Amino acid sequence: MTYRVPFVDFPAQYRCLEDEIMATVKDVFSGGDYILRDQVRQFEENMASFLGVDYAVGVNSCTDAMLLSLRAAGIGPGDEVITVAHTFVATMAVIVHCGAKPILVDIGDDYNMDVSQVESAISPRTKAIMPVHLNGRLCDMGRLMDIASKHKLIVIEDAAQALGATLDGRKAGAFGLAGCFSFYPAKLLGGAGDGGIVVTSDKDIAEKVRLYRDHGRATKEDIALFGFNSRLDNLQAAVLNVKFRYLPQWIKRRRELAGLYDKNLSHIPQLKLPPSPRDSGRYFDVFQNYVVRTQERDRLVSYLNECGIETLVSNPKPVHHHPALGLSNFRLPRTEQFAKEVVSLPMNSELSNEQVEFVTKSINNFYRGYI
Ligand SMILES: *Cc1c(COP(=O)(O)O)cnc(C)c1O
């Protein structure tokens, strides 16, 4: 089905960038630059300077960025890592793949970790906290970093959805020991496939992740540890360098669209909106997703679908409720409630104002039946 308003529109973005992308692809092919060449180094420099950190190491996904960061930080069997369930499953999977145990805490109204619950989740085994900056808004990192330093815990940020978001002027990914980003195509900065990066200002972590991503090879002769194959493809880096130039304008556009949603929907009492980009105070949100909450979620989703509007319900069943994952002992009332109520409306920098107006008009029509 082709939607009148698609959730993301990859071909539309490609049409805008085709000449630049094809030129860089041609350079990569004609130079034979496939693995860890200048394009990767350039992209790492771009990201480190954009985020205000000392090092960036390109890897094949955010999942591996998190896995390699946890391992580089020494997380292993017997350790506990505090995180949330209201996220993509990968955040919990990497903890398990290190041999450690995820300890789940509930979320607040911002859909991020309820930082006030963290201290009671700390045990003698706790080694790290993994906050997730969901939907393009930072978790309350000021308070979280205070708790982490008081209890001497490592912080690794899942910043997959928050490239460019800030709190008190500091960028997501630049608070903890390491920050992890995704360049999955649907992300704010998306490649032509998978990609990820670890950012840090800790030299040891950067060096270790660099070793892990490339079979532990320190030099041509020396292997320093048993590593993985998790390099950021050079071709992906080349494409990402092109798209990186558009990042500020894409963020600006997303915030404009969020403002338009806000203006046209804020009068509907049954609908809980994210903070408006106009009054988010200390927070600068990048709106990776524009998420609304409503008790009529499922009916709203099917109504919008009939109107030709594509929406996304990320976790219709909370991750900790999948029996195979062994996490069903956690009681997370808000995570469970919000899983029934949240829906992401179309949000991408290629959307026109007219498309967003059509979405908001349709939502208004839907609620007219309820008011
Ligand atoms: C997309 C995403 C990931 C996984 O990123 P990949 O690059 O696909 O591995 C992890 N956490 C969150 C919050 C995400 O949105």
Side-chain angles (χ1 to χ4, degrees), residues 61-63 66 87-88 90-91 132 134 158 160-161 182 184 187 195:
S61 64
C62 181
T63 304
M66 296 189 289
T87 176
F88 186 53
T91 320
V132 182
L134 211 68
D158 179 346
Q161 298 194 3
S182 172
Y184 180 78
K187 297 284 151 76

Side-chain angles (χ1 to χ4, degrees), residues 104-106 117 320-321 327-333 336:
L104 305 177
V105 298
D106 214 348
Q117 298 190 14
H320 66 297
H321 281 185
L327 298 169
S328 39
N329 55 313
F330 291 101
R331 291 283 163 273
L332 307 167
E336 288 151 23

Side-chain angles (χ1 to χ4, degrees), residues 310-329:
E310 187 181 20
T311 58
L312 179 75
V313 175
S314 297
N315 286 317
K317 179 169 168 175
V319 175
H320 66 297
H321 281 185
H322 293 269
L325 304 182
L327 298 169
S328 39
N329 55 313

